[in-house]
Amino acid sequence: AAGVIQSPRHLIKEKRETATLKCYPIPRHDTVYWYQQGPGQDPQFLISFYEKMQSDKGSIPDRFSAQQFSDYHSELNMSSLELGDSALYFCASILALQGNEQFFGPGTRLTVL
Amino acid sequence: DQQVKQNSPSLSVQEGRISILNCDYTNSMFDYFLWYKKYPAEGPTFLISISSIKDKNEDGRFTVFLNKSAKHLSLHIVPSQPGDSAVYFCAASALGSNYKLTFGKGTLLTVNP
């Protein structure tokens, strides 16, 4: 079965640069979530989208923005990168009517130098 | 403020024995609980879940127990297998939260042959 796809898998950027992470949810899934996992930390919720509209917002810095497109894929845009942004970024998706179990992608490892 | 707590960073068990992973939560609004398994360089994989209206859910070798009055849940794996060695995350979602997940910090389970 098709899974959640994230690209790129690895990304290295310099401080103050920008980065764009992409997430392709499982086909027919209409809801996407972004999580950030720092080293040795638990995944922290950043933001979610349902039917292309932002549905919830967590601890996402103002330097970050995200959107969900008409094909339900989502992009997380990160600007003015800081060393502390180095983390694993996971995307997860669900079909909202089917509820709670989120399916996660493999993650994008962002390293800011 | 860690709303989902996994107080054991690691657990080591012998193959064939029972593994018990524990999780405590503080938010009374949580009504759905999930366990995810994570291997290095992969995204979390959904394992098993339980609604707050139940106190037990079983799926093969995996059983989750929920004690609402104690705000405690546990995951039992029996018999444990070396392939179960991974980080296990406890996660929770609250009614009306658009299914966003709050994670614990994870427990590294090592099953020794």
Side-chain angles (χ1 to χ4, degrees):
Chain A
V4 176
I5 297 171
Q6 290 186 247
S7 68
R9 292 293 310 275
H10 302 272
L11 191 57
I12 298 175
K13 291 285 185 178
E14 300 275 342
K15 278 197 313 183
R16 292 180 287 278
E17 285 191 320
T18 61
T20 296
L21 309 186
K22 297 185 179 183
C23 170
Y24 297 86
I26 290 173
R28 296 192 308 115
H29 281 193
D30 52 14
T31 306
V32 167
Y33 303 83
W34 286 96
Y35 294 86
Q36 177 192 57
Q37 185 182 20
Q41 300 298 312
D42 50 301
Q44 293 284 324
F45 170 73
L46 291 178
I47 195 167
S48 62
F49 293 87
Y50 167 67
E51 283 290 344
K52 293 152 279 184
M53 299 286 289
Q54 181 182 307
S55 54
D56 206 343
K57 195 171 180 180
S59 50
I60 183 169
D62 291 340
R63 299 177 288 108
F64 294 5
S65 65
Q67 56 183 321
Q68 186 179 32
F69 295 85
S70 57
D71 63 352
Y72 296 105
H73 94 272
S74 178
E75 295 184 3
L76 177 65
N77 299 293
M78 311 160 72
S79 62
S80 302
L81 286 169
E82 300 173 357
L83 295 178
D85 296 328
S86 296
L88 267 171
Y89 290 84
F90 290 109
C91 170
S93 73
I94 63 168
L95 179 62
L97 281 178
Q98 290 183 350
N100 276 300
E101 290 89 11
Q102 294 183 18
F103 294 87
F104 282 78
T108 294
R109 181 172 291 282
L110 173 66
T111 303
V112 181
L113 302 176
Chain B
D1 172 28
Q2 192 75 21
Q3 297 185 60
V4 177
K5 300 177 185 179
Q6 294 178 256
N7 291 320
S8 298
S10 63
L11 175 68
S12 183
V13 299
Q14 284 299 120
E15 181 178 6
R17 305 296 286 267
I18 185 171
S19 296
I20 300 176
L21 296 99
N22 293 304
C23 177
D24 298 292
Y25 62 96
T26 58
N27 188 341
S28 300
M29 298 302 291
F30 288 147
D31 68 338
Y32 202 83
F33 304 89
L34 308 90
W35 285 94
Y36 282 85
K37 175 180 178 181
K38 186 180 181 304
Y39 294 116
E42 294 184 13
T45 301
F46 170 72
L47 201 54
I48 193 169
S49 62
I50 188 166
S51 164
S52 60
I53 62 173
K54 295 186 174 182
D55 55 17
K56 178 182 175 181
N57 188 26
E58 192 171 354
D59 183 3
R61 296 185 298 114
F62 303 93
T63 303
V64 56
F65 295 92
L66 175 62
N67 182 334
K68 278 186 64 180
S69 61
K71 293 191 176 67
H72 176 84
L73 61 154
S74 61
L75 174 68
H76 293 211
I77 307 173
V78 56
S80 301
Q81 300 173 352
D84 295 330
S85 298
V87 176
Y88 288 77
F89 286 100
C90 174
S93 67
L95 186 65
S97 70
N98 297 306
Y99 306 118
K100 75 178 180 192
L101 297 177
T102 300
F103 284 86
K105 290 195 178 297
T107 296
L108 173 63
L109 172 66
T110 303
V111 180
N112 301 301

